[in-house]
């Protein structure tokens, strides 16, 4: 790495609720994060035609793993805290961290989240989207997906220099509550860059005490998990798969964003212009 690559990197003045200061990335770092963010988005674009009735989630994971390596990267999740796969694929009532499996085949009407983190030269590109399988997705599930996307984008719109971190959760929660859905509180967004999961924690519900001030050069994810029913989740005995306790469906989208002087830039925008499903065929 060029010696200049980190010369202007520093730490935020204030700390997050855990007492951690936040890395302020410099312009060279942000270029690298934009490159890996774009590659994460390319993978989410290119997996789209493979999301069909009958495909196993293990097969989708193999395709994703191959795309990551073709793009010059590796899956950050593989072996991370013992996680056994190159992506997380979470179907219907699975909230997040669904482990791809040969036995899990997509059915007509399923909604699913595919979450990828590509690691290149130490930089992490982290993003996820929802997909609809087949032509029989119930309108209630489609509504959940739409509201979740809207909630993520409202959270992103709350990002800007001088803003408190809790503006994100406030914006997300406002939309979700007005649609009588619920925000999962057990999982959060996170600082991302040369560390996969870093400060600050990014709450998707309103936390009054979280007044950490956003500064240009902070990079973090916004990745709300929204349940059609109650907010409560539990983790299955595999130690990863989180599901809704009431078996209601859950949806999630994730972008990585950088705070700028003007507001923020999304680092994981789709080159194909895909936002929320249905995606053009
Ligand atoms: N990509 C997930 C996130 O958005 C993290 C997955 S960690 C794993 O933060 F170990 F479950 F893969
Ligand atoms: Co993330
Ligand atoms: Co992710």
């Amino acid at each position: 790495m060029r010696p200049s690559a980190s010369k202007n990197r520093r730490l935020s003045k204030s700390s997050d609720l855990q007492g951690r200061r936040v890395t302020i990335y410099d312009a060279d770092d942000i270029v690298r994060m934009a490159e890996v963010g774009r590659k994460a988005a390319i993978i989410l674009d290119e997996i789209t035609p493979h999301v069909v009735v009958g495909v196993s989630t293990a097969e989708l994971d193999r395709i994703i793993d191959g795309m990551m390596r073709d793009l010059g990267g590796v899956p950050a999740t593989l072996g991370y805290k013992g996680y056994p796969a190159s992506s997380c694929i979470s179907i219907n009532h699975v909230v997040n961290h669904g482990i791809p499996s040969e036995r899990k085949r997509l059915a007509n009407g399923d909604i699913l989240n595919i979450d990828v983190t590509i690691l290149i030269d130490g930089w992490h590109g982290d993003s996820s989207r929802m997909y609809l399988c087949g032509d029989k997705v119930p309108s209630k599930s489609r509504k959940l997906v739409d509201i979740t996307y809207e909630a993520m984008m409202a959270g992103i719109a709350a990002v800007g220099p001088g803003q408190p971190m809790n503006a994100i959760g406030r914006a997300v929660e406002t939309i979700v509550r007005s649609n009588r859905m619920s925000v999962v509180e057990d999982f959060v967004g996170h600082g991302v860059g040369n560390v996969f999961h870093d400060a600050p924690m990014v709450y998707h519900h309103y936390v009054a005490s979280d007044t950490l001030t956003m500064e240009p050069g902070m990079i973090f994810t916004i990745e709300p998990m929204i349940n059609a029913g109650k907010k409560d989740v539990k983790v299955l005995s595999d130690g990863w798969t989180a599901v809704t306790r009431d078996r209601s469906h859950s949806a999630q989208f994730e972008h990585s964003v950088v705070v700028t002087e003007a507001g923020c830039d999304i680092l994981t925008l789709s080159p194909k212009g895909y936002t929320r499903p249905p995606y053009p065929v």
Side-chain angles (χ1 to χ4, degrees):
M1 189 191 291
R2 284 164 299 125
S4 61
S6 67
K7 76 170 189 288
N8 294 315
R9 196 181 303 156
R10 56 192 175 83
L11 289 173
S12 62
K13 290 209 180 60
S14 55
S15 307
D16 71 1
L17 285 182
Q18 290 69 38
R20 301 180 300 175
R21 297 203 300 168
V22 177
T23 298
I24 309 297
Y25 289 101
D26 71 19
D28 290 337
D29 300 334
I30 292 165
V31 168
R32 300 310 309 278
M33 283 298 287
E35 288 169 358
V36 295
R38 182 177 172 84
K39 287 181 177 178
I42 287 170
I43 292 163
L44 295 177
D45 283 355
E46 301 299 331
I47 199 65
T48 306
H50 299 282
V51 177
V52 294
V53 176
V55 73
S56 74
T57 55
E59 175 64 12
L60 293 175
D61 190 65
R62 277 191 291 276
I63 296 166
I64 288 166
D65 184 276
M67 290 193 288
M68 286 182 176
R69 294 174 200 278
D70 288 347
L71 288 164
V74 293
T77 56
L78 189 60
Y80 176 79
K81 298 186 177 175
Y83 186 78
S86 302
S87 63
C88 300
I89 304 182
S90 304
I91 306 173
N92 294 339
H93 70 293
V94 178
V95 173
N96 67 1
H97 301 166
I99 301 173
S101 157
E102 304 293 349
R103 293 181 318 280
K104 192 79 211 167
R105 291 186 181 276
L106 298 185
N108 198 344
D110 283 348
I111 60 168
L112 58 147
N113 175 277
I114 301 180
D115 190 337
V116 299
T117 307
I118 184 170
L119 173 61
I120 305 180
D121 295 337
W123 299 99
H124 296 80
D126 188 7
S127 187
S128 81
R129 290 182 206 154
M130 293 300 294
Y131 299 81
L132 311 179
C133 182
D135 55 4
K136 293 191 160 66
V137 176
S139 60
K140 193 179 172 192
S141 302
R142 292 201 310 265
K143 171 99 183 291
L144 170 67
V145 169
D146 285 345
I147 296 302
T148 304
Y149 180 77
E150 232 186 277
M152 175 186 67
M153 294 309 289
I156 292 171
V159 174
Q163 299 301 312
M165 285 300 291
N166 65 12
I168 297 169
R170 174 157 36 199
V172 169
E173 203 174 73
T174 299
I175 286 178
V176 172
R177 284 204 178 172
S178 69
N179 286 279
R180 296 172 309 283
M181 297 173 181
S182 46
V183 179
V184 171
E185 299 180 1
D186 299 57
F187 298 95
V188 296
H190 51 92
V192 65
N194 56 5
V195 174
F196 190 175
H197 291 116
D198 207 355
M201 282 199 186
V202 180
Y203 298 98
H204 303 112
H205 63 295
Y206 179 64
V207 177
S209 57
D210 186 20
T211 57
L212 173 70
T213 303
M214 299 177 201
E215 294 179 44
M218 287 184 178
I219 304 178
F220 49 80
T221 71
I222 298 182
E223 50 178 302
M225 286 136 277
I226 307 305
N227 297 348
K230 293 194 164 61
K231 69 179 179 185
D232 309 78
V233 309
K234 67 176 178 192
V235 175
L236 300 185
S237 58
D238 62 20
W240 286 104
T241 312
V243 299
T244 58
R245 281 191 178 270
D246 63 8
R247 305 272 304 178
S248 67
H249 286 188
S250 186
Q252 178 180 29
F253 286 86
E254 174 177 26
H255 271 314
S256 297
V257 304
V258 56
V259 182
T260 64
E261 300 291 343
C264 78
D265 287 339
I266 301 175
L267 298 170
T268 45
L269 283 177
S270 160
K272 282 196 188 292
Y274 292 179
T275 54
R276 69 176 98 178
Y279 305 113
V281 279

